Every structure is written in structure tokens, then in C-alpha cells.
Amino acid sequence: MTVKIFFPTCCSPSENGLLIGRWLEEHRSAVVLAIVHFPFIPGNVKRYLAGLERETGLRLAVLGTWSNIKAQKDEQMESFLGDLKSIFIHRPWLRITREASIIFWDCRIEGVDEEAEEEVVLVYYDQRKVMLSELHDATEHSEIATVFDTVARNRTLFALDRYDEGPIKLTHWQSDGVEASIIVELCKQASVPLCALLSFILSLIFSVTRALGRKPLSFLWNKLSTCEQLGKRLDSLQLICGTKAAKDHTLFMRKASTLVSLLLDVILGIVLMSWLYRGDHIGQLANALMPVADRVAVELQGLLQWLMGAPAGLKMNKALDEVLGRFFMYHIHLWISYIRLMSPFIEVILWYIGLSACLGLSVALSVLSDIIALLTFHIYCFYVYGARLYCLKIHGLASLWRLFRGKKWNVLRQRVDSCSYDLDQLFLGTLLFTILLFLLPTTALYYLVFTLLRLLVVLVQGVIQMTINLLNSLPLYALVLRLCRSYRLAAGVKFRMLQQEHGKCLRLLMQINPLTYGKVLQQYRLPSSNLYPKDSWGALCKKLFIGELIYPWRQERDKQD
């Protein structure tokens, strides 16, 4: 049988003493946590271990003795260490000896069945890294997961300063930043009332937003990206300012990543705001906005004039082509009048909108997306008109085609059933089918042109929304932790053999394998509101073919409702 002993590297130079740790019976392994130095009183050691068991919930014990022989063996000390197993009764009893003259250690196991030959494997581990790391991709009851859990749950043991005067003296990993830890604790205590005050203010803001979120205002709020982003920002602030301690690792990482993402977003927004208000860039944007709007209107008028003629040499229905062209041309004139009416106030509006950048770059991008939606509202109207007319004709042709085949759509059963029609119905259906079929090319051409324009606008808004989602969902804290402290996010361990000699125990060094950056993004990615439907390319092409409207703001939950 093989017995694995996990020994902390920080305890290698320790003086003679007792091995404190946990025996894993199901894995036949021992996890050494600390070494108790001489002199000590056995009763104090037992009471100290009992207190640790109550705090950690783990069964800790004296596993054996540790001998660090610097010069030559002391027979009296060896005899004394051997007699300790009668005081601290534990089976098996470990006796680890390190001699300064050789690089190999001697490890013996006593108190087991003498007929069974025990093979000892001594595994060194970094106590600090194992305690601070979070193990992923490991089963709950595996040996490595149990070792990591044992070390992590004994933070109380490691919090004891090695220089403190107490009933016993221990050697284990101890951080040198005692003063820094005191400052951190004071900051934590001071942040509790501040977080409580911020939570109260945020609760009031949530009450106001819930009052404003009722109909009919809710219809408008759900269509504006700025309102969606502000709601997301309130949720993030409520998560950060919550007074409940993040005892779970996932919740802590989510809070930390949300805080870092929020700070970076605000910093980028302040940089953008400083650029806008320096050098009169807002005035320049306002002066450039009107010529662009006029240019777009002129280009649309030219496009309509081209469609009302013979586009690409195609012969269209003259009457329907003229009606549709004049209808859309009238909307362009209305839009030009609206833009010129708002032109004196454009710079003032942009000046106040620029202040939104202090809330973060994502809020400023949301405002930009809403501005693009308002400036291209006439294109959206053209698309809706063309799509509705085209969809009406497609459904009409499909229904009349079923009439020729003796079929009809059963609304109650949601299926196609057989049906018999008389001669008048067939004659009327043939007449309507012919009219719709010959009018379809003209309608389809207008629908195609305005759909392409609408898709161009949706593409620009989609790029902006992807940037916003990236700012909101990128786990920056986890990525920085993976870059600077890769052992904190462990995917597993690997063992490196140090040296081996016949008749001596095998010595291995346990090293931590960090998570890959891809798994870090997958594991700690923050939730983000996806404003665009996740349709496949096939579903999107089907919608475009039959004339269904594409709403970029529609969410998945809206479809389910």
C-alpha cells in the first residue's frame, strides 16, 4: 500500500517537534499543517487542537514527530520522540527525520499492520499557495480537493503569528504583513456604515424607478438603451454596496470583477468627457451633425427618385411605384423639417448628453446608440412600411396557393387541412393571386432596399452594444489575478520528482496548474443584458424572406412572454 504525506515546504527548517495535521483515511494520506516546538505541555496541545476542531469542523490530530538532525543523531532525543506516541495516540504514527548530511529524508510509519508493506511518498506543497488558491475542475471528494479544502479551512491556524507568546509555539506559513492586515480590517469596519448608507439611497432610487417603470412609461424605457444601461448600473451598485459578506468564492469574484469593471468604465467615461469639453469638440460635433443629416436626406431622396424610375432596367408597376415613392418622399420632407426645427438646440442637447459620460463609457455609448436610433428613425419607418406590405402579400400569396391545392390553414389546430371550394371562390382566388403576384416585384424591391439600410443601422448599433456588453461582462479582476497570481485560480496540480534513492521514500513537489485564460473568461464572466435576439443565421434569413420585423431591442424573455 502507498501512503502519501503532504508536507509544507515552510516547515523544512523547523526544529524538532510534533506534526499537526489531518489523516485522510479514505485516501490513506496525511496532510501536515504545522509543527509544534519544544517545550510544550501535552494538555495544552490537546486543548488547542480541540479548539481548532470546533472552529474548522475538521478532525485534527498529532500525526507523529519531526526530527531535524543538524549534526549527529541524539539517541536520547530519538527515544523521547518515540515515547510521545503513547501520549498522543494516533494510528498510524509518522516519524519523519531530516539529516543535514544527506539530501534524502527518512520517513517511517508505525502502528500499522506489520504484514502489509507500506510505501511512503513524501509530497512537498507550498502552504501559502494552496491556502489562497481556489481549485477548479476537481471532484468534491477527490484526494487533491480534500487536501486543498483542509489547508484552506485552517486559516485560523495560519493567522497565529509565529512570534506570539502562547501556550504552544508553531511553525507554519505566516504572512509578514501584520500591520497591513490591521489596516485592511479597519477599512472593512469603516466601509460597513458607508455601504449601508449607499444601499439605503439605492433602495430609494429603485423605488422611484419602479414607479416610473409602470405603463405607459415602461414601453419607452424598454426601448431605450440608456435606460437599460442605467438599470444595469443600479444592479451593479446594489451588488457592490451590499452589506452581506461574500463568503462564497464565486460571489466574491463577481463582486470584485464588478467593482473593477465599474471603476474602469467610469475612468474611461471621465477621459471621454474631458476630451469632449476640451477644445470645443461638442460644438464641432453639433456643426458636423446637421450637414450629415441633410446629406443622408438628400441621398435618400435620390434613392427614391431612382426607384420611381426604372431601377437597374427593371420594369415596375407604374401606379404602385409612384404611390410608394411619393409616400416615402413625404416622410423625408417631414424628417428634414423636424431636423431643421431642432438644429438650434443640437449643441445644448449634446452638451448635456456629454455629462452622462461621468457615469461611465458604457452609459455614453448607450446614449450614442439611442441618438443613432433617433436620427435614423425615418429609415426605420420606411423599413416597417415596406416589411408590413411585403409580409401581407407573401401571406396572401401563400394562402391563395393553398386554395388552388384544395387546402386551408386550420387556426384552431395550427395545421393545414383539406378543404373543398366552389367555382366562385376559385375564380376570386385566381384573380387576387394574379394581382398580388404582379405587384410583388415592386413591393419586394422597396422592401429589399430599405431592409438593407435598416440592417446597416442595426449593424452599427450591434457593434456599440457588443462594446457595452464587453465592458459590463469582462471579468477584469479574475484576468488580473490570473496574470499576477496565477496560483489563485487552480485548474489542478502536477507533480515533479525531486530525487530518489533505493531504500528511501519517494519525494515529489506538488505544483499548481493555473486555469487557462479561456476558462477564466468562461468561469467568471459577468452576466450582461443581451438586447439583441440570439437567432441563428437560418432563422434570420427566414424572417427576412417572409418579411418579419427585426427588433434589435427585443430580449429573450420578451419572446417567452
Side-chain angles (χ1 to χ4, degrees):
M1 301 272 312
T2 302
V3 177
K4 291 182 286 296
I5 301 175
F6 293 87
F7 192 85
T9 55
C10 59
C11 295
S12 299
S14 303
E15 301 293 336
N16 301 336
L18 298 176
L19 299 173
I20 292 180
R22 180 187 180 191
W23 174 255
L24 309 178
E25 182 65 33
E26 64 275 13
H27 304 292
R28 294 196 57 81
S29 303
V31 183
V32 178
L33 298 174
I35 294 179
V36 180
H37 298 300
F38 296 108
F40 58 81
I41 300 175
N44 292 339
V45 176
K46 293 181 179 180
R47 282 193 296 270
Y48 182 72
L49 290 179
L52 285 178
E53 289 183 8
R54 288 192 297 268
E55 294 182 9
T56 62
L58 300 175
R59 185 178 179 181
L60 304 180
V62 176
L63 301 177
T65 59
W66 159 257
S67 302
N68 191 354
I69 303 174
K70 297 182 178 180
Q72 58 182 0
K73 291 186 179 181
D74 188 351
E75 299 296 337
Q76 187 176 2
M77 178 60 68
E78 288 292 325
S79 176
F80 174 72
L81 293 175
D83 294 338
L84 287 176
K85 66 180 180 181
S86 61
I87 301 176
F88 303 98
I89 302 175
H90 186 271
R91 297 189 63 181
W93 184 261
L94 309 178
R95 297 193 64 176
I96 304 178
T97 304
R98 178 188 179 185
E99 297 183 10
S101 58
I102 59 176
I103 60 176
F104 296 101
W105 294 14
D106 182 25
C107 183
R108 290 177 295 169
I109 301 178
E110 301 176 358
V112 295
D113 189 3
E114 297 181 355
E115 298 180 358
E117 183 178 355
E118 300 290 347
E119 182 180 354
V120 181
V121 178
L122 194 60
V123 182
Y124 299 100
Y125 71 94
D126 192 327
Q127 204 168 52
R128 169 176 172 266
K129 292 182 178 181
V130 173
M131 182 189 66
L132 298 178
S133 62
E134 179 69 20
L135 186 62
H136 299 75
D137 301 335
T139 58
E140 184 178 358
H141 300 289
S142 65
E143 183 179 12
I144 299 300
T146 307
V147 172
F148 273 70
D149 180 68
T150 301
V151 178
R153 291 170 65 177
N154 281 274
R155 290 179 179 267
T156 306
L157 173 64
F158 305 134
L160 180 64
D161 195 345
R162 68 181 72 177
Y163 302 110
D164 287 345
E165 293 294 336
I168 59 175
K169 295 183 179 180
L170 302 171
T171 293
H172 50 74
W173 175 80
Q174 170 61 39
S175 174
D176 295 330
V178 179
E179 293 82 4
S181 63
I182 295 175
I183 296 175
V184 169
E185 291 298 327
L186 292 176
C187 292
K188 288 181 180 179
Q189 294 180 6
S191 63
V192 172
L194 179 61
C195 290
L197 178 61
L198 292 177
S199 300
F200 176 73
I201 296 175
L202 289 175
S203 63
L204 294 179
I205 296 176
F206 268 107
S207 301
V208 175
T209 54
R210 280 195 296 267
L212 295 177
R214 298 177 181 176
K215 294 182 178 180
L217 293 178
S218 60
F219 176 80
L220 180 62
W221 299 147
N222 292 333
K223 301 299 182 290
L224 294 178
S225 299
T226 305
C227 296
E228 294 283 346
Q229 185 59 31
L230 290 176
K232 175 72 176 177
R233 182 55 49 82
L234 288 177
D235 293 337
S236 300
L237 290 175
Q238 191 177 29
L239 175 65
I240 295 173
C241 298
T243 56
K244 186 178 180 181
K247 297 182 179 180
D248 184 36
H249 172 75
T250 304
L251 181 58
F252 170 76
M253 294 296 293
R254 182 181 176 186
K255 278 189 173 184
S257 297
T258 303
L259 177 60
V260 175
S261 299
L262 183 61
L263 292 177
L264 179 62
D265 191 14
V266 172
I267 291 173
L268 294 177
I270 293 176
V271 172
L272 176 63
M273 185 177 63
S274 64
W275 178 81
L276 288 175
Y277 289 101
R278 187 187 304 128
D280 196 24
H281 288 97
I282 291 183
Q284 296 176 6
L285 289 176
N287 295 331
L289 189 61
M290 292 306 302
V292 171
D294 292 337
R295 181 66 179 176
V296 171
V298 170
E299 293 294 336
L300 283 177
Q301 286 179 343
L303 179 63
L304 288 176
Q305 292 292 342
W306 179 70
L307 291 176
M308 291 174 66
L314 299 176
K315 186 175 181 180
M316 315 299 294
N317 186 281
K318 186 65 176 178
L320 180 60
D321 193 9
E322 187 175 355
V323 169
L324 291 177
R326 290 182 178 179
F327 177 76
F328 292 134
M329 195 74 72
Y330 175 71
H331 280 74
I332 292 179
H333 288 302
L334 289 179
W335 182 253
I336 293 175
S337 302
Y338 170 73
I339 290 295
R340 291 178 178 175
L341 180 64
M342 295 294 296
S343 59
F345 310 100
I346 293 296
E347 184 174 357
V348 179
I349 294 175
L350 290 179
W351 193 90
Y352 283 105
I353 289 177
L355 294 177
S356 64
C358 65
L359 299 177
L361 180 62
S362 59
V363 177
L365 291 177
S366 299
V367 174
L368 177 62
S369 178
D370 291 334
I371 291 176
I372 293 176
L374 292 176
L375 292 178
T376 59
F377 184 70
H378 53 309
I379 296 178
Y380 172 72
C381 292
F382 296 163
Y383 165 71
V384 171
Y385 297 152
R388 290 302 187 189
L389 186 59
Y390 175 78
C391 183
L392 178 63
K393 290 189 176 182
I394 290 296
H395 281 80
L397 289 173
S399 179
L400 294 173
W401 179 251
R402 286 193 294 267
L403 182 141
F404 295 150
R405 296 183 295 138
K407 305 288 185 180
K408 73 171 184 178
W409 175 256
N410 193 329
V411 181
L412 296 178
R413 298 182 179 270
Q414 294 294 309
R415 68 182 185 184
V416 178
D417 296 334
S418 300
C419 181
S420 60
Y421 297 96
D422 55 19
L423 185 61
D424 295 338
Q425 291 175 331
L426 291 175
F427 175 76
L428 183 60
T430 304
L431 182 62
L432 293 177
F433 182 84
T434 305
I435 295 174
L436 292 179
L437 183 63
F438 282 100
L439 293 180
L440 181 63
T442 304
T443 307
L445 181 62
Y446 277 88
Y447 169 70
L448 176 62
V449 172
F450 292 125
T451 299
L452 293 177
L453 293 177
R454 177 59 183 167
L455 289 179
L456 180 62
V457 176
V458 170
L459 179 62
V460 175
Q461 290 183 299
V463 171
I464 295 176
Q465 187 61 41
M466 287 176 60
T467 307
I468 295 173
N469 287 338
L470 182 63
L471 291 173
N472 290 334
S473 62
L474 194 64
L476 295 176
Y477 178 78
L479 291 175
V480 173
L481 202 63
R482 170 62 179 84
L483 179 64
C484 301
R485 297 288 188 271
S486 58
Y487 61 86
R488 294 288 299 273
L489 305 176
V493 297
K494 60 182 178 181
F495 297 94
R496 182 169 64 89
M497 187 175 67
L498 298 178
Q499 289 180 347
Q500 186 179 14
E501 182 178 316
H502 181 70
K504 300 291 184 179
C505 62
L506 176 63
R507 294 196 302 162
L508 302 177
L509 177 63
M510 186 176 72
Q511 298 175 336
I512 296 177
N513 285 328
L515 280 176
T516 60
Y517 286 98
K519 288 188 176 180
V520 170
L521 290 174
Q522 181 181 2
Q523 187 79 20
Y524 297 105
R525 187 178 182 87
L526 298 175
S528 60
S529 57
N530 187 13
L531 301 181
Y532 289 82
K534 296 181 179 179
D535 290 330
S536 62
W537 287 103
L540 180 62
C541 293
K542 180 181 178 182
K543 287 184 177 181
L544 294 176
F545 180 75
I546 63 178
E548 286 190 20
L549 296 181
I550 302 175
Y551 293 104
W553 53 74
R554 179 173 295 178
Q555 302 182 19
E556 294 296 325
R557 63 172 179 266
D558 297 334
K559 295 180 181 181
Q560 296 175 359
D561 293 342

